[in-house]
């Protein structure tokens, strides 16, 4: 790239995040727990999707993102009759969060330092989304649909930021298990 060309701001921000060695303490604190719980033995192979031939995490993220996005759509255009469905969708997303996070941690454990830094921020951002959607669900259960919808909208913003980071990891940095046969180039 010539000195005249500038990187887009979001690309520069991701490169700075990858280089943020201030995150290394958090990575070092989390790594032993993650490795023991999600990365080794049959549990690690299951969670990484070795049996599937590629990473299981992206498949499960679609469940969480899909249900939460659908709830937000119902909140925006569904009217009063869709309140129960929106609450159910938020609840289904919350139920799918655990297995989704576990598969993500299993992938994270085998990645490099740059990717692990981004992964920690991805996890914290997802934690914010989970907290907001959890509060949304409780608010809806208590009959406060408007505040539940507002909390879900804030959760959607956090989820979008987390999804951007996750997309960076899987696409730009190629974090994700795959069968060795997929590494071979076609003739």
């Amino acid at each position: 790239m010539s000195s005249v060309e500038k990187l887009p701001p979001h690309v520069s921000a991701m490169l700075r995040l990858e280089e943020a060695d201030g995150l290394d303490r958090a990575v070092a604190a989390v790594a032993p727990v993650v490795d023991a719980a999600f990365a080794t033995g049959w549990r690690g192979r299951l969670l990484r999707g070795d049996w599937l031939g590629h990473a299981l995490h992206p498949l499960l993220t679609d469940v969480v993102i899909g249900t939460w996005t659908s709830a937000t759509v119902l909140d925006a255009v569904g009217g009063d009759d869709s309140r129960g469905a929106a609450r159910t969708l938020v609840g289904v997303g919350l139920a799918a969060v655990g297995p989704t996070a576990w598969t993500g941690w299993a992938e994270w454990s085998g990645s490099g330092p740059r990717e692990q830094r981004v992964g920690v921020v991805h996890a914290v951002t997802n934690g914010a989304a989970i907290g907001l959607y959890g509060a949304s669900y409780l608010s809806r259960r208590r009959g406060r649909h408007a505040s539940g919808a507002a909390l879900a909208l804030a959760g959607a913003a956090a989820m979008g930021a987390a999804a951007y980071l996750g997309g960076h990891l899987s696409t730009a940095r190629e974090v994700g298990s795959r069968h060795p046969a997929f590494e071979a180039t076609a003739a």
Side-chain angles (χ1 to χ4, degrees), residues 79-102:
D80 290 347
D81 292 340
S82 66
R83 289 180 174 185
R87 182 184 66 232
T88 298
L89 286 165
V90 170
V92 169
L94 288 168
V97 158
T100 304
W102 303 336

Side-chain angles (χ1 to χ4, degrees), residues 12-184:
S12 295
M14 289 308 302
L15 293 172
R16 284 192 307 275
L17 179 58
E18 289 179 351
E19 294 291 329
D21 58 6
L23 293 167
D24 290 347
R25 284 184 61 192
V27 169
V30 171
V33 175
V34 169
D35 290 347
F38 305 115
T40 58
W42 67 269
R43 190 172 29 230
R45 290 188 300 278
L46 174 75
L47 293 171
R48 281 188 305 276
D50 293 354
W51 55 275
L52 186 60
H54 61 77
L56 182 58
H57 186 64
L59 172 69
L60 295 180
T61 63
D62 288 353
V63 175
V64 176
I65 293 170
T67 57
W68 288 349
T69 301
S70 296
T72 298
V73 169
L74 288 178
D75 289 338
V77 299
D80 290 347
D81 292 340
S82 66
R83 289 180 174 185
R87 182 184 66 232
T88 298
L89 286 165
V90 170
V92 169
L94 288 168
V97 158
T100 304
W102 303 336
T103 60
W105 284 118
E107 293 294 344
W108 178 87
S109 67
S111 64
R114 296 170 67 91
E115 294 81 9
Q116 287 187 338
R117 291 173 188 140
V118 175
V120 164
V121 176
H122 173 65
V124 168
T125 309
N126 274 317
I130 293 163
L132 287 162
Y133 276 104
S136 170
Y137 184 80
L138 291 174
S139 185
R140 293 167 193 267
R141 294 279 302 174
R142 294 177 179 141
R144 296 191 310 255
H145 178 76
S147 65
L151 286 162
L153 192 57
M159 177 182 64
Y164 179 82
L165 295 168
H168 172 76
L169 289 169
S170 64
T171 304
R173 294 299 177 210
E174 298 181 344
V175 173
S177 301
R178 59 195 151 278
H179 191 278
F182 295 126
E183 299 295 332

